[in-house]
Amino acid sequence: MVKEVLKDWNLQVNESKTEFSTVYLANQSDRDSNGQPLANNEPWRSNKTLESVLCTEKDIQRRRILADLAFKKFEKVWLKGKRISLERKLRLYDAQVTSVQLYNSNSWSP
């Protein structure tokens, strides 16, 4: 079905590389094989596509961790870079931290 829809826009799909994920919301009574509740912990929530986790909450949490790591990489610049102007530090911050945190944020749901 996707192949036909995208063909209308002159786009091609490599079906051998296509991955499918079933997205569903478990009921409060649903349990996994270990007896743990499935609600808000469905397996699809951990699937990664194009470097984003399908679950918005988990993706935001992951992005925060990655942005924190990016910030810590430049800790000497932020805290001890006395010869670097504030304007340059802010430009570096936007490029190195903000971009990591907001990557693919347009796909997050409310």
Side-chain angles (χ1 to χ4, degrees), residues 6-77:
L6 294 178
K7 191 174 187 178
D8 291 341
W9 295 330
N10 295 323
L11 298 172
Q12 297 178 351
V13 174
N14 185 340
E15 290 183 344
S16 68
K17 293 183 177 180
T18 303
E19 294 179 20
F20 294 95
S21 296
T22 302
V23 178
Y24 63 94
L25 297 176
N27 294 320
Q28 292 295 330
S29 60
D30 292 344
R31 306 273 180 202
D32 66 10
S33 59
N34 297 326
Q36 299 297 318
L38 270 177
N40 294 324
N41 200 27
E42 296 88 349
W44 63 265
R45 292 182 184 267
S46 299
N47 286 0
K48 238 182 6 176
T49 58
L50 300 175
E51 289 303 311
S52 291
V53 180
L54 289 180
C55 176
T56 298
E57 290 175 19
K58 289 186 179 187
D59 195 41
I60 292 172
Q61 184 180 30
R62 182 174 172 271
R63 292 273 149 216
R64 289 176 65 193
I65 291 168
L66 291 173
D68 187 46
L69 291 171
F71 180 83
K72 287 182 179 183
K73 261 187 183 178
F74 284 86
E75 192 167 14
K76 289 180 184 176
V77 172

